[in-house]
Amino acid sequence: RDGQGWVRDAHGRCEAQLALPSGINPAHWWLDATHGMPAPGDTQLSIILLEQACASGLSPEGRILPPTIAYGDEVILIAMAVRAEPGAFDCPGNPAFATTITLDEPIGERQLYDAGVFPPEEVFGPH
């Protein structure tokens, strides 16, 4: 808002995300295609993670928090987050980062979803 009224200062896609505490940034993830599709018996996922907040193009290495995972009969919901670096940051874009997620249960025939957005987005699963 300026002295004359409301003005637009940004534009883009409006996407609902998890409400996270201050200092924690959301991250999208998807399966790392270079490792192939996970098998039903797998408990490890090779993923690519992309931090969604401005981080001056810094890698999330060393700042990735443990995933939040919900296991259902037909789906596995996984939300990822990254600890923010203190200070103000530019937004040149963030690098995608390869990492792994360890599950407590085999994937089975369940679909995998990025639960960091609402509604959760399906990622490539074992089917």
Side-chain angles (χ1 to χ4, degrees), residues 46-126:
S46 295
I47 69 162
I48 303 295
L49 179 133
L50 183 62
E51 185 173 5
Q52 295 301 296
C54 298
S56 294
L58 296 174
S59 167
E61 186 172 13
R63 301 185 294 120
I64 300 171
L65 297 171
T68 300
I69 305 173
Y71 300 91
D73 292 335
E74 297 180 14
V75 300
I76 299 175
L77 303 170
I78 303 171
M80 299 294 297
V82 177
R83 190 173 41 259
E85 285 286 343
F89 290 98
D90 295 328
C91 289
N94 296 325
F97 185 77
T99 189
T100 59
I101 296 173
T102 301
L103 303 172
D104 292 336
E105 305 174 5
I107 297 167
E109 296 300 321
R110 295 176 281 192
Q111 290 296 310
L112 302 168
Y113 283 82
D114 178 353
V117 295
F118 184 83
E121 293 179 353
E122 185 176 1
V123 297
F124 293 105

Side-chain angles (χ1 to χ4, degrees), residues 1-2 4-13:
R1 179 163 165 78
D2 68 10
Q4 303 292 324
W6 291 100
V7 295
R8 180 177 58 160
D9 69 349
H11 67 278
R13 188 172 140 186

Side-chain angles (χ1 to χ4, degrees), residues 5-29:
W6 291 100
V7 295
R8 180 177 58 160
D9 69 349
H11 67 278
R13 188 172 140 186
C14 182
E15 183 177 82
Q17 296 182 342
L18 289 177
L20 298 172
S22 178
I24 305 298
N25 294 334
H28 287 303
W29 68 274

Side-chain angles (χ1 to χ4, degrees), residues 26-46:
H28 287 303
W29 68 274
W30 58 91
L31 293 174
D32 186 342
T34 64
H35 290 270
M37 296 302 286
D42 288 350
T43 57
Q44 278 215 324
L45 301 174
S46 295

